[in-house]
């Protein structure tokens, strides 16, 4: 039997963003439940399970896009966790941020590294 | 004997951005030669040859950052070519752009796909 | 029988963006057909037909967001047409842009007015 | 007798942004009083009282522009309050944010909804 | 007798942006005359004639802000001309753009240098 | 004997950003030491010591770029301190922010003034 987009998205969200992703959806339940639904159905149900890129490549792209957009520290937090969850090492995450310097300048890279610092420390406690 | 940063960068620029990259540097010769020097020394001499990411991953990150920044169509042109030069398929480039939709919205993705369309067509003529 | 999201979106796209919207989807057919599918299914199938805002309010919000993002002139072109199609007058479109000045500064407003100028002129020829 | 731009703006600011707006002006008194003066004279004296859009439409446009710009959470706070003050319902504010998803992506919409959550809770306490 | 803000602004606009500034105002006459009025009254009548910064410093700040915002090439064109008009040398304009590299990355600086290239060439013809 | 880029940059960083700059580099030591190295070598070793602009002009340009980019409050904090360190008065810093209003709108200027407020207060305690 076919899974719905919502079911596929829920699985993907759990696999990638783990607890952080579920907290985002949970936080929307009262105020904007449909926003949570679209994140699950569209971002995680339609886009993430597509072929053509590995999950690791998708997370590299996502954290690059969030760093470049700026002002998305809460989402960077969730997706740096996501990057770790799909097996990208902390060193490679930092290297991806360093690759952005020529294209975004230093300030946005500094902001992203600062988020990573907190995420890595918390992740180590949980996992380690 | 050690290569200078400028020599390393020139090699990298040629390997990645090919003719397009050289044209950018050439176009700066009269008006802002030091800008060209910094692009070669810093972006291509310091950042690109670092370990920790493959050249393909670096180009994926670069085109993602340029798409997200917006208004960087001339640089996207150069680096979509760069992505093709380091062996990323057109299909994978488009897939990277599609992965950005949830994080940037549709308009920036449409702009990037439009640049890719022209680059792919020109690339085929040259190579094919 | 229930319409699919794609069918709903196609109807909405036609109603709102008219020929301009169809051209965008058409232009994606070869290079990124799924991007066109998501625009129809998600933007026009899921979001536009929602209750809670009139179509005129949705277009006001859309052109405001495109003006503020910057670098989205092709999409502004399509959606200024869309705003006219759902019955917003040229005067009201300009007034919406003027309301943005304190929040975006003059340059982005000037760029949007410049797009509007061309759209209004072409629209008059077609309709008038 | 004619009101000055400053008098008109002060009235509008009070009507729209209420206590939040006055606090912004107050906070500028020592460090940048002219900035406060320009906000009152230009944004609220020149732009807001113009004809052609209702106050509700102006606030819809303003919160859309602030959401799209990103990094304007303090101003979003003031103007979500402003939107409530001129009679836009919380449901409609959220709906306006949802309309932005296709044009800005999810992260900026999540940030705006998060601000709204705090504003709605505080507003209820004051009014209710 | 006191000059009005409009009269002061018109003088400043002529002094700084010259023909380019007047063309912008002229281009708005049919479609959005009030936008032209606000540019003259607020930007050039209120802000530019303030004390505390020289006209050269104001133009340095303006071209820096336009470069950083991105997508404001038409306004950069007008204000690079403005910078030349108030006596900033082409070399200093380029140097200001180079100072932005660490804060904006290379692409926006490349776009601004490209605009400068055309402005400098046209300026030389007119003046020289 | 020639100084290395790193030595030149360290001196410049100390002169301009003082304790704030050193703290940024220090904070990167564990997580991304090369990012700190590039800030010193490229931003402060290559760009800042160039001729053609005074240090005061360079800091004016830097704080303008950070204000306009948005979301760079931590870097604005460091560089407003830097501006004071190279002898720009608080009044002139505020005046530079006011010059940005027509090009960025009010919200970004308000955010920058708010950072300045805290920096000026802390600076007075240290120096005065």
């Amino acid at each position: 039997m076919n899974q719905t987009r919502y079911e596929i998205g829920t699985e993907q969200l759990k696999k990638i963003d783990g607890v952080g992703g579920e907290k985002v959806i949970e936080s929307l339940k009262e105020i904007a439940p449909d926003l949570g639904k679209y994140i699950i159905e569209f971002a995680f149900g339609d886009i993430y399970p597509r072929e053509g890129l590995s999950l690791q490549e998708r997370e590299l792209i996502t954290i690059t896009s969030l760093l470049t957009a700026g002002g998305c520290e809460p989402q960077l937090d969730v997706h740096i966790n996501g990057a770790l969850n799909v097996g990208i090492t902390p060193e490679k995450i930092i290297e991806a941020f360093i690759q952005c310097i020529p294209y975004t300048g230093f300030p946005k890279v500094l902001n992203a590294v600062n988020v990573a610092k907190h995420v890595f420390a918390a992740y180590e406690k949980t996992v380690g």
Side-chain angles (χ1 to χ4, degrees), chain A:
Chain A
M1 217 178 83
N2 280 347
Q3 279 184 301
T4 62
R5 295 165 67 231
Y6 192 87
E7 288 165 349
I8 296 170
T10 303
E11 263 182 35
Q12 291 278 323
L13 179 74
K14 198 171 285 187
K15 182 161 68 178
I16 299 164
D17 288 347
V19 181
E22 287 176 339
K23 269 189 196 161
V24 171
I25 304 303
E26 182 66 30
S27 77
L28 297 171
K29 259 199 176 151
E30 291 282 319
I31 195 168
D34 285 358
L35 175 55
K37 189 171 84 93
Y38 293 135
I39 292 174
I40 289 175
E41 285 182 354
F42 181 63
F44 290 94
D46 285 350
I47 305 295
Y48 268 91
R50 290 173 58 89
E51 295 186 2
L53 289 169
S54 69
L55 263 188
Q56 292 199 2
E57 287 171 326
R58 291 192 185 277
E59 280 303 307
L60 270 189
I61 289 166
T62 298
I63 60 176
T64 299
S65 187
L66 291 169
L67 175 155
T68 306
C72 298
E73 281 75 13
Q75 291 79 33
L76 255 181
D77 185 303
V78 170
H79 280 282
I80 292 171
N81 264 296
L84 295 169
N85 288 336
V86 300
I88 308 181
T89 61
E91 290 73 25
K92 196 162 177 173
I93 292 170
I94 296 299
E95 193 59 38
F97 292 169
I98 287 176
Q99 172 66 20
C100 292
I101 304 172
Y103 304 101
T104 66
F106 290 106
K108 288 179 171 178
V109 176
L110 282 165
N111 287 344
V113 167
N114 198 36
V115 177
K117 205 173 174 173
H118 292 281
V119 173
F120 293 168
Y123 197 81
E124 221 163 272
K125 273 193 202 158
T126 321
V127 177

